[in-house]
């Protein structure tokens, strides 16, 4: 993170809104409702590695969770236009995440980082991994030669990702996380104590009983449901691919400071 100043909570909230990480985000209401409906209809692509059974078959129940935990507009009649993420909920979740990272550092835990959004969140994960390593945590090195979804699962800058054709891949699939966890078990290595990820990477880790933290957009309701049910430790609401990845730097600085993981701490 270098010399990135640590924003106050009000300054971070203001930054999240100005950068559209939260507040009036780019994801339209129509897209959000479509994804909520598909999750409720049992489309497993939208379950993000979780097993939701028949507990979430009503689209309105999904909307209620998203209004409570993400801050989308809580009005079933609002069908078109601009939707929202509550920046106060974003910072609340960052503070819950910071408490879990503090525990990981205190226990020198094994932590695995992964992303299905390398264009947006790679450096957030990388900086968090570096801070935990400096605090004495083991950043899990994934097995070599893993494949999933017709691609290679590999690790770059301490973060696991899916690669196809020399390109880092945007993916919601849980299969890359399955490949990592199965690979660790085949090698007789311990599973992570904590996974910090997003999309199906986070959902599947939590489903398999590992403490899991996930970043999630307002059109990805499954991880918020996972936190509501206790399958995920924390889900952080944000737009997961804004116009510049540097916009996430103040958020990461705030998170690491709250976790006691800045060099001055």
């Amino acid at each position: 993170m270098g010399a990135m100043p640590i924003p106050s909570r009000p300054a971070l909230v203001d930054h999240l809104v100005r950068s559209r990480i939260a507040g009036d985000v780019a994801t339209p209401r129509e897209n959000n409702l479509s994804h909520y409906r598909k999750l409720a209809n049992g489309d497993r692509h939208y379950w993000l590695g979780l097993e939701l059974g028949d507990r979430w078959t009503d689209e309105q129940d999904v909307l209620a969770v998203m209004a409570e935990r993400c801050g989308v507009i809580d009005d079933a009649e609002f069908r078109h236009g601009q939707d929202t993420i509550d920046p106060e909920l974003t910072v609340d979740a960052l503070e819950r995440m910071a408490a879990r990272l503090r525990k990981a550092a205190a226990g020198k835990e094994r932590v695995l980082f992964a992303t299905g959004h390398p264009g947006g969140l790679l450096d957030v994960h990388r900086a968090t991994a570096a801070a935990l390593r400096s605090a004495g945590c083991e950043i899990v090195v994934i097995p070599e030669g893993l494949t999933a979804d017709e691609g290679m699962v590999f690790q770059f800058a301490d973060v696991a990702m899916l690669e196809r054709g020399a390109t880092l891949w945007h993916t919601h699939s849980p299969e890359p996380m399955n490949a990592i966890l199965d690979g660790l078990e085949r090698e007789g290595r311990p599973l992570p104590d904590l996974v910090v990820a997003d999309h199906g990477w986070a959902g599947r880790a939590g489903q398999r009983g590992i403490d899991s933290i996930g970043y999630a957009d307002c059109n990805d309701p499954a991880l918020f449901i996972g936190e509501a049910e206790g399958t995920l430790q924390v889900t952080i609401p944000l737009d997961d691919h804004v116009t510049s990845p540097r916009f996430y730097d103040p958020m990461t600085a705030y998170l690491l400071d709250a976790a006691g993981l800045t060099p001055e701490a």
Side-chain angles (χ1 to χ4, degrees):
M1 293 300 300
M4 167 65 63
I6 311 302
S8 66
R9 180 178 176 122
L12 179 60
V13 166
D14 180 66
H15 169 76
L16 294 174
V17 172
R18 285 187 293 104
S19 61
R20 300 187 73 186
I21 293 172
D24 291 333
V25 292
T27 310
R29 180 68 164 193
E30 300 91 317
N31 184 262
N32 284 346
L33 294 181
S34 172
H35 286 201
Y36 304 169
R37 186 177 312 112
K38 288 172 180 176
L39 179 146
N41 288 341
D43 186 333
R44 284 178 170 264
H45 175 77
Y46 297 92
W47 288 14
L48 300 183
L50 295 167
E51 293 299 330
L52 302 179
D54 59 0
R55 300 186 297 279
W56 297 92
T57 56
D58 187 336
E59 178 186 345
Q60 300 310 314
D61 291 341
V62 179
L63 174 60
V65 168
M66 294 303 293
E68 176 189 11
R69 292 179 177 269
C70 183
V72 301
I73 295 169
D74 187 14
D75 178 1
E77 299 305 312
F78 177 61
R79 311 297 296 180
H80 305 280
Q82 184 73 54
D83 216 336
T84 59
I85 293 174
D86 185 340
E88 298 287 351
L89 293 179
T90 303
V91 182
D92 287 346
L94 289 169
E95 291 175 353
R96 294 196 302 276
M97 179 180 180
R100 183 61 185 87
L101 295 181
R102 189 180 288 271
K103 177 184 174 184
K108 305 292 191 285
E109 292 183 349
R110 297 180 305 276
V111 188
L112 172 65
F113 289 83
T115 187
H117 242 301
L121 298 177
L122 171 57
D123 208 41
V124 177
H125 290 305
R126 179 208 58 76
T128 309
L132 284 176
R133 175 183 281 110
S134 294
C137 288
E138 175 191 341
I139 305 306
V140 174
V141 176
I142 70 170
E144 294 289 333
L146 300 179
T147 60
D149 299 328
E150 301 179 344
M152 299 292 297
V153 184
F154 81 115
Q155 202 165 24
F156 173 73
D158 287 329
V159 185
M161 289 167 281
L162 183 67
E163 184 260 2
R164 291 186 195 164
T167 300
L168 304 181
W169 207 255
H170 171 225
T171 178
H172 289 71
S173 173
E175 293 309 317
M177 181 57 71
N178 272 335
I180 293 171
L181 300 179
D182 292 346
L184 291 171
E185 289 179 336
R186 280 195 305 272
E187 293 184 357
R189 295 167 57 195
L191 295 180
D193 300 306
L194 174 66
V195 167
V196 180
D198 45 68
H199 288 175
W201 305 78
R204 182 49 53 87
Q207 187 64 46
R208 289 183 60 159
I210 299 168
D211 281 7
S212 182
I213 294 170
Y215 295 98
D217 210 328
C218 56
N219 63 355
D220 290 328
L223 296 191
F224 296 97
I225 288 172
E227 184 184 14
E229 292 193 330
T231 311
L232 267 75
Q233 300 283 301
V234 184
T235 298
I236 302 95
L238 48 65
D239 187 316
D240 51 19
H241 197 135
V242 291
T243 55
S244 170
R246 295 278 66 82
F247 289 161
Y248 298 106
D249 289 352
M251 180 192 82
T252 308
Y254 184 92
L255 169 68
L256 298 182
D257 180 68
L261 295 173
T262 55
E264 298 78 18

